[in-house]
Amino acid sequence: MERVNTFRGRLASIVDKVDERLGDGLEAALCAHHARRLRRLGWDAALAPGSAGGLFGDRAPVREGNDVAVLIDGQEALTAIQAAIQGARSHVHIANWHATPDFRLVREDGAPTLRELLAETAERVPVRLLLWAGPPVPVFQPTRRLVKQAHARFTEGSAVRCAMDARERTMHCHHEKIVIVDDEVAFVGGVDFTALEGDRHDSSDHPPDRPIGWHDLMVRVEGPAVADVAKHFHSRWTEVTGEDVPPPRVAEPAGRSTVATLRTIPDGTYDFAPRGEFTILDSYLRALRSARRLIYLENQFFWSPEIAEVLIDKLCDPPSDDFRIVLLLPRKPSNGADTTRGQLGRLFAADHTVGNRRLLAATISTHDGQDSCPVYVHAKLGIVDDEWMTVGSANLNEHSLFNDTEVNLATDDRELIRETRLRLWAEHLQRSVSEVDGDPTAVVDDCWRPIATEQAERERRGQPRTHRLTLLPGLSRRVARLQGPLRGLLVDG
């Protein structure tokens, strides 16, 4: 038996070494492919440390004088969006991954469906709705047949102008979620107007009375930055439809926040950006490299080797003794679970070299006595040192950073960033804002880590959970983590 165990141990060691070598080679090929592509397009500075332009880069429009609010979870975000649409005086422009005509932004007696809301608004002002046309082959949702049916429902018997955009790269999509009203207010974030793949109607209480909870974010902005979001919609709409729409106007200053409008536009997709745009990737890498004390990320996916490499460098050579990384991810992404956990395995290995105390990767669910349900983390948020924050539609994977159309907003408004982080931490830790309003390192070490570790241990022992926060379970092998990026490599050209 001892010889058998010895043999198994040696075999496992050999497999691990082969796995590591293959993982190194595959990841190097993927990163080299991205570097060659961006260099060919004139975007190589997005991957270069020390490039000029500050945290926003020098190729994204940056506007001062904006009023910004971060809307946490669907109930708050969808209610605000409906109110803005109902108050429109000039026009309503919407671009979304998908929109379901029967979807209700507000769950109240007598609340209109999305189709009814837009049709009623279109009787007063122009309403334009831009939807991804769906994949050319029905391998995932929303299928083109489903989108065509939605298009017919939105337009039949109404003045709503609806267009389907099929200019996506192979196996990729138009993923952004934006609403512009009167060129005075814009909403940018992760909330879709559909129940496909999950119920967007959730509150920060995350009651366990549904099959799955849904954690998401939108940003509401008023002021000059609205014009940049509106210009993006205008560019896509006019190229897809050929309609001559008046260009957006720039609103007067409305607040204190500086806002950068960040995008991913794949090259070769639109005539207005033939070489593409990769300012989301650019700003993320700049901000993460600048981190001194705290990186806090909420995201649906964590595949990107470019992002992972920066975090690994930070863990191996921490900028300060109190440096911490906190990741909030779904327990099981809708796809890419192995790739997410595999990248986490690399981060945990790097953290192990410095004592297993700088990195925390967690997920959330919801509990009420004996009832419980998972909460799907669909948010796309990055915060660095309470000095840079981005919210939008971009996941931390190859799709969002290189191949889907995406829109994020970023700001350096420290007061807003800190307020947002405290509200999110209060929600996830089930504490008051005042209880989490301390030194971030201390809150991570004394609150986040003990709670998540205790709940993971309760799960391991088969005991019921008593808190929504827990450690992310499971890691995959090095090669397995590259399934998602490799799929991207095969189709992104």
Side-chain angles (χ1 to χ4, degrees):
M1 179 61 70
E2 183 177 348
R3 295 173 106 182
V4 171
N5 289 338
T6 300
F7 173 77
R8 287 176 176 172
R10 289 176 177 172
L11 180 61
S13 177
I14 293 172
V15 170
D16 286 342
K17 289 179 180 179
V18 171
D19 178 70
E20 183 176 358
R21 292 287 181 88
L22 285 173
D24 285 342
L26 290 170
E27 187 157 274
L30 181 67
C31 291
H33 167 73
H34 290 155
R36 286 193 301 271
R37 178 180 168 192
L38 294 190
R39 185 166 53 250
R40 173 174 54 84
L41 297 170
W43 281 93
D44 46 314
L47 298 175
S51 299
L55 297 184
F56 301 141
D58 57 4
R59 299 177 72 171
V62 180
R63 307 265 192 172
E64 298 180 351
N66 301 283
D67 181 70
V68 180
V70 178
L71 308 176
I72 299 177
D73 295 310
Q75 185 179 86
E76 183 176 21
L78 292 169
T79 300
I81 292 170
Q82 174 163 305
I85 293 173
Q86 289 175 325
R89 303 186 312 278
S90 171
H91 61 271
V92 174
H93 291 166
I94 299 171
N96 212 304
W97 170 73
H98 185 57
T100 302
D102 291 334
F103 183 78
R104 298 178 191 272
L105 274 67
V106 176
R107 283 186 170 167
E108 296 177 354
D109 291 341
T113 64
L114 180 60
R115 193 266 176 202
E116 292 168 342
L117 173 65
L118 298 184
E120 179 182 338
T121 305
E123 294 176 2
R124 300 182 289 105
V125 300
V127 173
R128 297 177 177 90
L129 174 62
L130 184 60
L131 301 177
W132 175 41
V137 179
V139 293
F140 50 84
Q141 298 276 28
T143 63
R144 291 204 168 177
R145 180 180 178 183
L146 184 64
V147 178
K148 288 178 180 178
Q149 291 172 344
H151 177 275
R153 290 279 309 282
F154 280 120
T155 57
E156 185 177 2
S158 82
V160 172
R161 294 272 288 117
C162 182
M164 299 181 294
D165 189 348
R167 298 190 178 200
E168 78 281 348
R169 290 173 69 86
T170 304
M171 299 300 290
H172 295 99
C173 71
H174 300 294
H175 191 242
E176 64 215 50
K177 305 93 168 46
I178 60 176
V179 178
I180 306 104
V181 178
D182 300 341
D183 291 344
E184 294 180 356
V185 59
F187 298 85
V188 175
V191 180
D192 302 297
F193 294 164
T194 181
L196 281 180
E197 299 185 354
D199 184 1
R200 273 66 174 179
H201 296 88
D202 203 350
S203 67
S204 296
D205 294 332
H206 299 299
D209 59 352
R210 61 199 69 204
I212 185 171
W214 198 269
H215 175 62
D216 219 330
L217 300 172
M218 294 289 283
V219 168
R220 182 183 189 273
V221 59
E222 295 179 89
V226 175
D228 299 314
V229 182
K231 181 181 177 182
H232 172 74
F233 177 91
H234 180 274
S235 298
R236 284 189 62 202
W237 179 270
T238 54
E239 186 161 331
V240 170
T241 68
E243 182 183 358
D244 186 16
V245 181
R249 65 178 184 85
V250 179
E252 294 295 321
R256 67 169 190 269
S257 299
T258 299
V259 172
T261 301
L262 310 174
R263 302 188 296 178
T264 299
I265 301 177
D267 51 290
T269 304
Y270 295 109
D271 291 342
F272 68 81
R275 301 178 75 82
E277 179 175 322
F278 305 94
T279 48
I280 294 176
L281 172 69
D282 188 17
S283 189
Y284 253 114
L285 292 178
R286 290 168 183 270
L288 295 177
R289 289 187 185 113
S290 77
R292 302 183 307 276
R293 294 197 60 197
L294 175 68
I295 293 173
Y296 177 61
L297 302 175
E298 294 186 0
N299 213 276
Q300 182 184 10
F301 299 117
F302 185 76
W303 298 357
S304 170
E306 285 83 6
I307 299 293
E309 286 300 326
V310 175
L311 301 190
I312 288 169
D313 288 346
K314 289 289 184 182
L315 290 169
C316 291
D317 185 17
S320 64
D321 187 59
D322 54 3
F323 174 72
R324 298 292 183 270
I325 297 175
V326 179
L327 308 177
L328 189 79
L329 305 167
R331 177 181 290 263
K332 184 178 180 182
S334 58
N335 57 68
D338 280 345
T339 53
T340 289
R341 293 177 186 172
Q343 291 287 23
L344 285 178
R346 297 187 64 215
L347 266 64
F348 283 125
D351 191 42
H352 179 71
T353 66
V354 292
N356 296 314
R357 65 189 185 92
R358 301 190 191 279
L359 171 69
L360 182 73
T363 191
I364 51 176
S365 57
T366 184
H367 303 265
D368 182 11
Q370 296 302 310
D371 297 326
S372 66
C373 78
V375 176
Y376 192 75
V377 179
H378 193 257
K380 299 93 168 57
L381 164 104
I383 290 177
V384 173
D385 292 337
D386 287 353
E387 295 178 359
W388 173 92
M389 175 174 70
T390 186
V391 176
S393 61
N395 293 308
L396 297 179
N397 61 6
E398 316 320 298
H399 291 268
S400 289
L401 299 179
F402 292 94
N403 298 308
D404 294 342
T405 59
E406 307 280 7
V407 178
N408 274 37
L409 296 182
T411 183
D412 58 3
D413 183 336
R414 297 187 182 188
E415 183 177 341
L416 172 67
I417 298 170
R418 181 174 174 276
E419 172 194 326
T420 301
R421 178 177 61 79
L422 292 179
R423 288 177 60 205
L424 288 166
W425 285 18
E427 173 181 330
H428 303 322
L429 295 169
Q430 296 179 271
R431 300 286 192 269
S432 67
V433 168
S434 62
E435 289 178 293
V436 299
D437 184 10
D439 176 71
T441 303
V443 176
V444 172
D445 292 350
D446 300 336
C447 200
W448 275 87
R449 192 178 301 279
I451 291 172
T453 301
E454 178 193 6
Q455 296 303 307
E457 181 61 22
R458 292 183 68 88
E459 282 190 302
R460 190 190 65 80
R461 295 196 301 258
Q463 297 175 329
R465 294 258 305 281
T466 58
H467 196 281
R468 71 177 48 153
L469 191 70
T470 189
L471 299 177
L472 265 176
L475 300 172
S476 67
R477 283 197 179 275
R478 178 94 186 236
V479 174
R481 80 165 193 273
L482 291 170
Q483 293 174 17
L486 279 174
R487 287 194 295 270
L489 178 62
L490 291 173
V491 299
D492 73 1

